């Protein structure tokens, strides 16, 4: 794998232009996944949020744009991405503390802190059964060496009692995700994201609570696109998803 300097950037519009983020033209680029993750978080003004593996800050800054007066912190292992996250926070006037470090060896500034919410978009692929990406920065984001179980373990440690964890992950990693979450969290609720009517779920959002005791709940899937197949250049998102992606609305996680 090779890593190239981040001197070729794009500035991309999110939330219908309410947020603009610098990203590398090559390597890992945030898309709709962190936006959906942020929209699912049931946070309130005045609460604290840790975005583990924050990248350029997409999820945390989308959340900060939707909910005022949050204390936002990000942890990012790649210095170039951490620098872009700080730049994006400054240029969008959203307070966001970004700490560089590896969650496998939690940086000292985070070890003694706890948060009302932890959010994460951990690597989607298990490299024990897959092929690494050629671009180093992309590989760290999509299939880094830290196991999913350690992501969940470290998140649980950073949560305050009764705090919430939100994770977006591939559906085929669900067995690993649920096994890891059951070790230190409860009140697990799962929202499948279905790309089109009649298709299988490809992504899921998990909500879990530290100290939660409610029974596991598997919610009906949320369909992202109205049509059964791609029918041209128009995006054809469902009304619910369009309001999240274009208007910055909250994702209606079932009660």
């Amino acid at each position: 794998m090779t890593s190239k300097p981040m001197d070729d950037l794009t500035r991309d519009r999110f939330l219908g232009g309410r947020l603009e983020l610098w990203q590398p033209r090559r390597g890992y680029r945030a898309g709709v996944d962190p936006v959906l993750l942020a929209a699912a978080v049931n946070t309130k003004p005045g609460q604290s949020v840790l975005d583990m593996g924050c990248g350029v800050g997409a999820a945390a800054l989308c959340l900060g744009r939707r909910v005022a007066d949050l204390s936002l912190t990000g942890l990012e292992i790649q210095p170039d991405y951490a620098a872009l996250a700080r730049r994006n926070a400054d240029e969008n006037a959203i307070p966001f503390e970004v700490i560089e470090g590896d969650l496998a060896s939690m940086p000292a500034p985070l070890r003694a802190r706890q948060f009302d919410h932890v959010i994460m978009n951990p690597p989607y692929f298990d490299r024990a059964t897959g092929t690494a990406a050629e671009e180093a920065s992309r590989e760290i984001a999509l299939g880094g060496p830290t196991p999913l179980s350690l992501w969940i373990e470290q998140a649980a440690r950073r949560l305050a009692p009764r705090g919430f964890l939100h994770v977006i992950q591939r559906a085929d990693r669900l067995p690993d995700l649920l096994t890891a979450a059951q070790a230190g969290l409860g009140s697990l609720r799962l929202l499948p994201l279905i790309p089109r009517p009649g298709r299988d779920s490809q992504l899921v959002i998990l909500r879990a609570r530290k100290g939660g005791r409610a029974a596991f709940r598997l919610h009906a899937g949320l369909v992202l696109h109205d049509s059964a197949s791609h029918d041209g250049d128009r995006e054809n998102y469902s009304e619910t998803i369009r309001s999240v992606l274009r208007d910055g609305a909250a994702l209606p996680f079932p009660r």
Side-chain angles (χ1 to χ4, degrees), residues 105-253:
S105 180
M106 191 62 63
L110 290 175
R111 288 178 197 158
R113 294 173 62 182
Q114 291 189 313
F115 298 82
D116 298 306
H117 299 266
V118 174
I119 63 176
M120 62 171 67
N121 182 183
Y124 282 165
F125 300 100
D126 181 358
R127 288 312 187 206
T129 59
T131 302
E134 293 184 2
E135 190 85 26
S137 63
R138 181 174 173 82
E139 172 57 20
I140 290 174
L142 295 181
T146 304
L148 184 58
S149 59
L150 186 54
W151 280 80
I152 302 300
E153 176 187 335
Q154 292 285 37
R157 289 182 178 180
R158 302 280 74 77
L159 278 172
R162 309 296 292 172
F164 287 95
L165 169 67
H166 287 81
V167 186
I168 189 167
Q169 183 56 257
R170 281 171 56 94
D172 60 10
R173 301 292 308 276
L174 185 55
D176 295 334
L177 180 60
L178 291 179
T179 298
Q182 288 174 336
L185 300 164
S187 301
L188 306 183
R189 300 174 61 181
L190 192 73
L191 178 63
L193 302 177
I194 300 171
R196 298 182 185 277
R199 303 282 187 90
D200 290 340
S201 173
Q202 294 183 356
L203 294 174
V204 296
I205 295 178
L206 176 69
R207 174 183 289 175
R209 195 167 198 181
K210 189 168 185 176
R213 296 181 179 274
F216 171 76
R217 293 181 63 186
L218 174 61
H219 296 292
L222 182 63
V223 178
L224 304 186
H225 295 88
D226 283 330
S227 63
S229 61
H230 183 66
D231 55 355
D233 291 335
R234 65 189 187 92
E235 59 185 23
N236 68 23
Y237 284 115
S238 69
E239 183 177 349
T240 296
I241 298 302
R242 190 182 305 112
S243 68
V244 168
L245 299 180
R246 303 295 173 237
D247 302 327
L251 189 69
F253 216 103

Side-chain angles (χ1 to χ4, degrees), residues 38 41-46 62-70 72 248:
V41 181
N42 57 334
T43 191
K44 299 177 182 178
C62 283
L63 183 55
R65 182 61 80 219
R66 178 169 64 86
V67 182
D69 194 29
L70 294 178
L72 297 172

